[in-house]
DNA sequence: CCAAAAGTGTTTCTCATACACCCATGT
DNA sequence: ACATGGGTGTATGAGAAACACTTTTGG
């Protein structure tokens, strides 16, 4: 991280990574954006966290570095999901200007590799790092005019997230704290698939999944019947999965 | 294509596309490889068809260009499925040597965007184009030591192809001629999913799919009961799909 | 006792699977 | 007539979906 300021000559100034970090805040699916320093007109201006890669740096490593710089969390589960390389993606003069200000590099074209990662939004997460500020935006009010093609990247990331959940259901638990209620889990599915789910069927389904463990712990201080807590058991999950994936 | 020889200065020498073109030959899933001209020791040496991108060229356009140069087919359906950017992927001295011979460029590192495409293998396909020769390799005997990380790219492409078929079943028909028998279709599924499928259940399933149309045409000159031909109806497919995808 | 959310069972339908024999054609 | 592969129907089980009321708790 210090290395970045000191050794810009080590940057490989043709390829970048951008990270779409998704989280759940109460009932809403959110994206983390960072305020971009050195915006042309000084206005508040957000973008996806991202970085050029270093000369000898792997793509996955670069994405992990960006996430660590942004959130302070190391070794998050992340997934490269697509690259964006239209020659016109750096065509906006304001974006070009920013690249020159921020990176002191004269750049013609950047191909970016987009990564997806999921996490729990902690209230306190003022989030360490090199950015002026970071902010969670509910997906329905993301600024419409993000720099480069970041709006498009987020669109694609949302689609990819749905596919990811289908192919590996355990990742939804990345959104949740260690213990969670049936309601929380159900809401996540409802938002992801954009449809109401039947409460009874949902409970029944949870019961059949051996890796969702009911705890003898309940909500406290709620003005209605307290909800049970559950936790996700990774070991049981892997057992159940491998039993099914015979082919 | 002529442009390429004339204007190497227009190449953007940091990003390439590589295409994994899959096809079915009789009963076997095959990958198309091209003979690489200018191999260090003159030995026969295959690789995935690929190219650096041009300065002002979109990634998808570059991939389409590569496929057109390789097969003569324009506007194939293709899918960007992953990028490969390990700094060590160009570490093999023989590969570096070849890059310099073939491209007259001194290249440090190349990030490549991998594309997947499916097609029917025509017997006659000597395949037009800039390559010395092209050859279909059954996946079980692909040369073990393809240059760069091409072996790994093919592995990933096969996984991606399976996911693709699941998310959009119509693409299996890219493997087939306009009219095909139930046997041909079934064999493709058997190879893709690597398990035998029950003949009766398969027929039943085909009947429920409104977009697989039985024709009043049958095989000729076969020494057993002639098989019926079917065709794929794109319009009906889109109707049936959109009815299901309400959300 | 009321408001507010948690939790629980049964029925129905659809879809995947398992399984064995007759049919058409060429030699 | 026989060898070769093409084509057909039925029965079972698992899982998804539809549907309404009782329970718990705080105020």
């Amino acid at each position: 991280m210090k290395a970045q300021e000191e050794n810009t000559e080590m940057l490989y100034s043709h390829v970048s990574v951008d990270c779409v970090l998704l989280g759940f805040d109460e009932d809403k699916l959110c994206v983390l954006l960072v305020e971009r320093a050195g915006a042309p007109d000084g206005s508040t201006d957000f973008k996806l966290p991202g970085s050029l890669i270093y000369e000898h740096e792997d793509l996955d490593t670069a994405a992990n570095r960006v996430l660590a710089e942004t959130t302070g969390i190391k070794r998050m589960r992340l997934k490269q999901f697509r690259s964006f390389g239209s020659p016109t993606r750096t065509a906006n003069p304001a974006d070009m200007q920013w690249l020159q200000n921020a990176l002191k590099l004269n750049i013609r074209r950047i191909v970016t590799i987009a990564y997806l990662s999921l996490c729990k939004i902690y209230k306190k997460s003022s989030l360490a790092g090199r950015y002026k500020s970071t902010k969670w935006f509910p997906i329905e009010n993301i600024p419409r005019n993000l720099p480069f093609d970041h709006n498009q990247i987020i669109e694609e990331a949302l689609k990819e997230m749905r596919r990811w959940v289908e192919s590996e259901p355990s990742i939804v638990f990345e959104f949740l704290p260690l213990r969670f209620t049936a309601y929380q889990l159900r809401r996540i599915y409802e938002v992801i698939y954009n449809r109401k789910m039947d409460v009874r069927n949902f409970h029944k389904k949870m019961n059949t999944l051996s890796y969702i463990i009911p705890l003898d712990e309940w909500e406290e201080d709620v003005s209605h019947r307290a909800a049970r807590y559950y936790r996700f058991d990774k070991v049981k999950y892997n057992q159940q999965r491998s039993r099914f994936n015979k082919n």
Side-chain angles (χ1 to χ4, degrees), chain A:
Chain A
M1 332 209 169
K2 264 186 202 154
Q4 183 165 34
E5 271 75 54
E6 289 163 20
N7 298 319
T8 38
E9 77 279 11
M10 294 288 287
L11 283 174
Y12 187 73
S13 62
H14 312 275
V15 177
S16 65
V17 294
D18 282 306
C19 296
V20 180
L21 183 54
L22 299 178
F24 259 89
D25 177 26
E26 313 286 331
D27 252 14
K28 286 193 293 292
L29 188 55
C30 300
V31 183
L32 187 79
L33 299 179
V34 300
E35 196 163 343
R36 99 173 147 175
D41 54 355
S43 66
T44 308
D45 193 359
F46 285 91
K47 65 186 269 291
L48 288 173
S51 165
L52 292 174
I53 63 176
Y54 286 103
E55 184 69 38
H56 297 290
E57 188 180 42
D58 200 40
L59 298 173
D60 289 7
T61 311
N64 258 309
R65 172 172 59 77
V66 167
L67 283 176
E69 287 171 352
T70 311
T71 65
I73 310 171
K74 303 192 185 221
R75 304 177 147 278
M76 294 185 69
R77 192 145 166 201
L78 50 77
K79 179 177 203 164
Q80 181 204 301
F81 72 94
R82 193 166 151 190
S83 28
F84 294 81
S86 162
T88 60
R89 64 184 295 276
T90 48
N92 184 327
D95 293 337
M96 288 299 278
Q97 187 69 47
W98 174 79
L99 281 173
Q100 287 180 16
N101 289 352
L103 303 171
K104 316 284 185 258
L105 285 171
N106 219 329
I107 282 170
R108 298 176 300 177
R109 176 179 184 175
I110 300 178
V111 171
T112 200
I113 316 295
Y115 279 80
L116 174 60
S117 190
L118 314 183
C119 81
K120 164 100 187 79
I121 300 179
Y122 296 99
K123 297 297 168 210
K124 57 194 174 197
S125 59
S126 63
L127 300 170
R130 47 186 272 257
Y131 291 102
K132 225 166 119 186
S133 86
T134 63
K135 188 172 167 194
W136 288 101
F137 286 82
I139 52 167
E140 59 269 20
N141 37 3
I142 293 168
R144 303 253 175 268
N145 53 353
L146 295 178
F148 307 108
D149 46 6
H150 288 189
N151 287 97
Q152 189 197 347
I153 293 177
I154 292 170
E155 286 302 311
E156 294 297 323
L158 291 170
K159 288 185 205 160
E160 181 64 28
M161 185 266 291
R162 294 187 177 98
R163 280 192 289 269
W164 198 6
V165 171
E166 275 176 50
S167 69
E168 193 168 348
S170 68
I171 50 138
V172 298
F173 301 105
E174 306 274 333
F175 284 131
L176 290 169
L178 283 181
R179 36 171 235 181
F180 53 85
T181 64
Y183 175 79
Q184 290 178 292
L185 184 59
R186 184 164 53 83
R187 279 303 299 157
I188 287 177
Y189 278 107
E190 290 185 343
V191 171
I192 290 177
Y193 292 115
N194 191 31
R195 65 184 168 107
K196 288 273 171 226
M197 308 196 81
D198 182 86
V199 186
R200 276 177 289 193
N201 291 337
F202 193 81
H203 273 270
K204 210 186 321 165
K205 181 72 185 179
M206 280 179 69
N207 284 335
T208 67
L209 298 175
S210 63
Y211 53 81
I212 299 183
I213 318 259
L215 302 174
D216 287 332
E217 303 173 36
W218 284 264
E219 283 182 326
E220 283 171 21
D221 298 321
V222 285
S223 72
H224 53 80
R225 180 169 172 182
R228 177 166 221 150
Y229 282 117
Y230 296 81
R231 70 178 175 82
F232 167 65
D233 188 311
K234 197 165 212 157
V235 175
K236 293 235 172 72
Y237 175 81
N238 290 331
Q239 288 168 358
Q240 189 158 32
R241 285 256 114 185
S242 58
R243 223 175 309 138
F244 291 145
N245 297 353
K246 277 289 153 51
N247 344 330

